[in-house]
Amino acid sequence: MSIKVKLLLVLAIVMSFLVLNVAQETYKFFNEKERIKETMVLVKLSEKLSLFIHETQKERGMSAGFLGSSGKKFGDVLPKQRGMTDDSLKELVGYIDGMSFKGLPQELQTRIASLKESTAQLGTMRQRVDAQSIKLKEAIAFYTQMNTKILNIADIVPQAAEVSDVVKVLASYSNFLKAKELAGIERATLNGVFALDAFPEGGFATWGGL
């Protein structure tokens, strides 16, 4: 084998090695880019969830005050708050409908479907609140159960994210939302108490537990 052929063979081996390395790095780049893209989708979802639960918490508190006062209080601000809740829900649903769930946990879709079932009952709940045909405790429980479903989605978002630094932030944010929800339940309970000027049956124990 001539020196020329040997050099060409060595060059071919080196070039093959370089091409392989470039291909691997390119694959890693696009794979990382895809993971970051999926993570940003989840970050945005977490943002929409937090905006929605913020409005449902306010609606729960006002509804409690309205029921506790037999319609004498919060009747002027409750309709406006319901509109704000609907606006945030519309944004959340619109974002979810445009999401690609490819590569995301099936459990995420299951929890979203469960939340949609609760939001579909919002209209009926509001009618019962307006008609004073529901007990204060039951109304608070409805909003609390719905908010729990929101938090269940927020809980799984960090698990679905694959960028480690973002996972930590999302997990911390999820815990913050849970603490905020407990404060929201306390506010709703006391709204009803102050409106009624008394603790309803079992209300003091509930408030104490919070």
Side-chain angles (χ1 to χ4, degrees), residues 5 10 79-80 100 105 119 151 186 206 208:
V5 173
V10 170
K80 182 180 179 181
S100 171
T119 58
L151 293 173
E186 184 176 4
T206 300

Side-chain angles (χ1 to χ4, degrees), residues 56-123:
T56 60
Q57 286 166 343
K58 289 193 293 181
E59 182 173 332
R60 176 180 55 196
M62 293 180 189
S63 298
F66 182 77
L67 286 170
S69 66
S70 298
K72 295 176 183 177
K73 297 180 180 178
F74 295 97
D76 55 335
V77 293
L78 188 52
K80 182 180 179 181
Q81 178 53 49
R82 288 171 175 172
M84 294 171 69
T85 301
D86 289 341
D87 288 343
S88 61
L89 175 59
K90 184 178 179 181
E91 282 196 29
L92 173 62
V93 172
Y95 184 76
I96 289 172
D97 289 345
M99 278 179 59
S100 171
F101 287 91
K102 182 180 179 183
L104 298 178
Q106 177 63 39
E107 182 65 20
L108 181 62
Q109 297 181 57
T110 302
R111 294 186 185 187
I112 287 174
S114 180
L115 174 61
K116 285 184 176 181
E117 289 176 4
S118 291
T119 58
Q121 300 172 28
L122 256 177

Side-chain angles (χ1 to χ4, degrees), residues 12-64:
I13 292 172
V14 172
M15 289 302 297
S16 298
F17 179 76
L18 288 174
V19 169
L20 179 60
N21 271 270
V22 169
Q24 288 177 334
E25 290 302 315
T26 302
Y27 175 78
K28 284 170 60 179
F29 170 77
F30 282 108
N31 196 36
E32 184 69 19
K33 186 178 179 182
E34 189 62 28
R35 283 204 304 271
I36 292 173
K37 183 179 177 182
E38 289 175 359
T39 300
M40 292 311 298
V41 168
L42 294 171
V43 169
K44 194 70 175 177
L45 174 61
S46 185
E47 176 192 339
K48 300 292 183 185
L49 289 168
S50 68
L51 291 174
F52 179 50
I53 197 172
H54 179 66
E55 301 302 338
T56 60
Q57 286 166 343
K58 289 193 293 181
E59 182 173 332
R60 176 180 55 196
M62 293 180 189
S63 298

